Amino acid sequence: MLRQYELVERVKEYDPDADEALLNRAYVYTVQKHGTQKRASGDPYFSHPVEVAGLMTDLKLDLETIITALLHDTVEDTLATIDEVEELFGGDVARLVDGVTKLSKIEAMPENERAAENLRKFLLAMSEDIRVLLVKLGDRLHNMRTLHYIKSPEKRQRISRETMDIYAPLAERVGMYEYMREMQMLAFEQIEPEAYATITGRLAQIRAQDGGQVDAIALAIKQALAENGLKVEVSGREKHPYSIWRKMAERHVSFEQVTDIMAFRVIAESEADCYAAMGVLHTTWQFIPGRFKDYISTPKSNGYRSLHTSLVYENAMRVEVQIRTKEMHRTNEFGLAAHWAYKQDERPDGQVGWLRDLIEIVDASHDAEELLEHTRMAVYQDRIFAFTPKGALFQLPKGATPVDFAFAVHSELGAQTVGAKINGRHMPLRTVLNNGDVVEIIKAKTAEPQMSWLGFVATGKARASIRRSVRLKEREEVAALGAKLFDEIAGRVPAKIGKKAVREAVKRLDLEDEDELMFLVGANKLSDHRVMEALVPGSTAGLEEDGQWAKQEKAISIRGLTPGVGFRLAECCRPVPGDRIVGLRREGQPVEVHAIDCLELASGIDSDWIDLNWGKGSHGAIGRIRVILYDRPGTLAEMAAIFNQNHSNVVALAQSQRDPPFSTYDVELEVQDLAHLTRIISALRANDSVAQAERL
């Protein structure tokens, strides 16, 4: 653990003007607040924030970030408060500490919900100040380094998966590759212990047998470049085990078939020297076509710049070579953190483009599962570059389509997309884009995102926006149906209903507005009884919760039953007056009345069967139908109008399937008898908005 004077010396080394007294005060404060608390390793708890602060000094970050690292657990784990932190260390430090603290108060939630809520707060805090992310990444890295002290294998696995799914990709997106690689390595060891042991064992064997081959190749590269007048530094290393394992999984190959296990880095003096070095290497050794990438002229979205190429060395050995300048190397290893070094006069806006996309995803995601799915799609890196007709560059994941491109340009453009031209040719919206494609989006102001797009989009932003739009559209259609149903309910109240009565009903039901009322009525989430009572208190006196239906049940009589014997209409077939019916009698239960052709009758083979008929004047029952509508605006309202014209009340409505261009609804209706139900089905079948209608 770093001692107090050592931490101060580290900061003063790169920032001589740093406030030494303030830093000393922060160190003493965290030691006092954490007191006798212990970590799983048995070390004093304050050793953790001190080590995180040490990681921040390695990045040469400003004093506020160092102090935030020292204090990041005090508010969460001790009696310290944000107000106290602000009083002692200033408003900026308090805001940063609060941002990091909010991420850790989610332990009681179920795993996915906890991870999602953690991520949600993380992204929102990052949007205000990216230093929150830098401290959190340092916090997570140190926790991963000490993870082996935790006794519970389940807890180690959970923390490792969260690291692999969220924190390592975020480190990559801000260009902190050193952090990313170490997090992946430590998490991989816990998640796939057998694979980790196998690969590290094989690497150790290669290391023992190669006789200094890595050093020999590095020297050969350096000599070839020196002979051409280029002054460079060359270093070689094995790829780390997780990188090798992922390549084995992606290519479905064995360890022996992974040929580019060794990677070499060339540090040149200038950008021009980088390209010159690449030319020398390509003329000295055969390069592998398709494996050359120029991230200098076209940097990654996280600012990463380098030339990548793969060469065939002696004995057909493949080696990967990265060429960059010293400045590029620092940015590549520490990414956004390099821009936050204490001496930078101009610091990047925390709201960088990809982060804005993540914030949109937070707003658009419906639940924990969606948020995690969309964010994973947004943060993983394996990207292609595409251009607008005017030359603006957009980075997208491999597999992206013109719809993803449109949403990347602007959410509104994505929503209005109706077609696309790729390199000047009209192409289907599901076409997968290639590197360098020029994409022109064709839009229409009246267009809306289509549910079918979810079958091929590749970006979290596009998927979240489409789902949100579809949900809003469905809500509007259900609310339109609810408005028609509401008018019918209001007609049963013994008073004339005006706007004031509706406003009062909204208040009594504790709803936000009239739109929410109509939606809940349309979705059958508010009973007629509650709506009537909210409109005119006392209007349902003497009625049961479903008073109307209770009255109608009394209007039904069954002939063939012993007087006084109870009965109930079977839920499976919902017989209505006019159907041929039969009864099943089981000991201690009411007689169950089924339609004669009900498939469930087979399950009553051991029951007593009774021949039944409808009593004279029987009317009023609940019929169940399935309606397949064309999936376009207004069709739900047309279906509701048919029910209204045929004097039938909707008891329940549920969308059972949506498969554009169709939507399937299961509807329960109040009907008088079989003839009434048949008329409704006939009217539905005759309507242009209805593809199919049948009784269930």
Side-chain angles (χ1 to χ4, degrees), residues 344-357:
Q344 294 287 333
D345 296 323
E346 294 183 8
R347 288 167 173 161
D349 180 7
Q351 282 271 36
V352 288
W354 65 271
L355 185 52
R356 278 196 297 273
D357 289 349

Side-chain angles (χ1 to χ4, degrees), residues 143-160:
N143 280 333
M144 290 302 297
R145 287 176 176 176
T146 56
L147 188 65
H148 57 281
Y149 289 112
I150 294 176
K151 293 180 180 178
S152 166
E154 292 79 14
K155 187 173 182 181
R156 292 200 304 271
Q157 285 254 337
R158 175 181 63 75
I159 294 170
S160 296

Side-chain angles (χ1 to χ4, degrees), residues 292-525:
F292 167 65
K293 294 175 183 175
D294 185 350
Y295 293 120
I296 292 180
S297 64
T298 310
K300 292 185 179 183
S301 58
N302 57 21
Y304 180 94
R305 300 177 74 213
S306 185
L307 298 177
H308 288 196
T309 189
S310 290
L311 307 173
V312 179
Y313 194 67
E314 297 170 2
N315 302 322
M317 179 187 296
R318 294 186 177 195
V319 296
E320 182 181 296
V321 182
Q322 301 170 356
I323 310 168
R324 60 185 65 160
T325 65
K326 285 183 179 179
E327 183 184 348
M328 290 177 197
H329 180 61
R330 172 162 174 76
T331 300
N332 292 351
E333 295 304 289
F334 302 112
L336 204 56
H339 295 286
W340 262 104
Y342 79 100
K343 62 180 180 294
Q344 294 287 333
D345 296 323
E346 294 183 8
R347 288 167 173 161
D349 180 7
Q351 282 271 36
V352 288
W354 65 271
L355 185 52
R356 278 196 297 273
D357 289 349
L358 288 182
I359 300 306
E360 280 192 41
I361 288 171
V362 170
D363 292 337
S365 296
H366 182 60
D367 54 29
E369 288 288 346
E370 269 193 23
L371 178 62
L372 288 173
E373 175 198 350
H374 298 157
T375 307
R376 284 178 186 135
M377 293 173 73
V379 298
Y380 277 115
Q381 287 262 79
D382 192 3
R383 311 182 80 74
I384 58 109
F385 302 93
F387 298 86
T388 67
K390 293 184 178 179
L393 173 67
F394 287 89
Q395 296 190 45
L396 298 163
K398 283 186 177 177
T401 65
V403 174
D404 296 296
F405 182 86
F407 277 104
V409 174
H410 198 283
S411 297
E412 190 174 317
L413 178 62
Q416 296 177 355
T417 297
V418 293
K421 288 182 180 180
I422 302 175
N423 302 323
R425 293 178 56 200
H426 282 281
M427 299 294 286
L429 288 176
R430 63 172 56 247
T431 304
V432 173
L433 298 176
N434 293 313
N435 235 340
D437 280 346
V438 177
V439 184
E440 180 183 350
I441 299 299
I442 302 166
K443 66 176 184 176
K445 289 185 177 179
T446 56
E448 294 178 330
Q450 301 299 306
M451 188 77 167
S452 59
W453 292 355
L454 292 174
F456 56 78
V457 293
T459 59
K461 181 179 180 182
R463 189 171 292 271
S465 299
I466 293 164
R467 283 178 170 163
R468 184 181 195 181
S469 177
V470 169
R471 279 196 296 268
L472 290 174
K473 180 183 174 184
E474 287 177 352
R475 186 181 178 91
E476 288 171 3
E477 290 185 354
V478 171
L481 175 62
K484 293 181 180 294
L485 297 176
F486 177 83
D487 290 342
E488 193 276 330
I489 295 170
R492 294 187 233 147
V493 176
K496 188 175 181 180
I497 301 301
K499 291 184 177 180
K500 183 178 178 181
V502 176
R503 287 196 298 269
E504 291 299 318
V506 168
K507 289 181 183 177
R508 292 187 185 107
L509 292 167
D510 196 25
L511 304 177
E512 285 189 14
D513 51 31
E514 189 176 326
D515 286 342
E516 186 180 8
L517 171 60
M518 299 309 164
F519 170 74
L520 293 175
V521 171
N524 196 37
K525 293 182 179 178

Side-chain angles (χ1 to χ4, degrees), residues 12 24 55 77 118 154 171 196 231 247 273 280 287 338 421 571 617 626 657:
K12 297 288 278 185
N24 280 321
L55 288 172
D77 294 333
N118 198 340
E154 292 79 14
Y196 176 85
K231 186 179 178 182
K247 189 163 289 187
D273 284 354
V280 171
F287 83 97
K421 288 182 180 180
E571 286 291 322
R626 175 164 290 164
Q657 189 174 350

Side-chain angles (χ1 to χ4, degrees), residues 227-238:
E227 288 170 4
N228 285 271
L230 294 170
K231 186 179 178 182
V232 297
E233 296 174 16
V234 181
S235 59
R237 61 176 176 81
E238 300 157 346

Side-chain angles (χ1 to χ4, degrees), residues 72-90:
H72 77 269
D73 277 336
T74 53
V75 174
E76 179 191 353
D77 294 333
T78 76
L79 297 177
T81 65
I82 287 295
D83 290 341
E84 186 179 3
V85 170
E86 182 173 3
E87 183 180 343
L88 291 172
F89 304 102

Side-chain angles (χ1 to χ4, degrees), residues 556 558-559 561 566-586 589-605 607-614 622 624 695-696:
I556 291 175
I558 302 291
R559 287 187 297 166
L561 291 174
F567 70 91
R568 62 187 177 88
L569 303 181
E571 286 291 322
C572 49
C573 55
R574 286 287 175 90
V576 300
D579 283 323
R580 289 183 60 198
I581 53 176
V582 67
L584 293 181
R585 181 169 53 200
R586 296 181 174 91
Q589 296 182 25
V591 172
E592 204 171 76
V593 180
H594 290 261
I596 196 71
D597 56 355
C598 177
L599 297 176
E600 292 296 316
L601 284 173
S603 65
I605 195 72
S607 306
D608 293 331
W609 286 46
I610 310 170
D611 287 328
L612 300 175
N613 290 293
W614 297 99
I622 307 299
R624 185 187 293 136
R695 184 179 178 188
L696 288 177

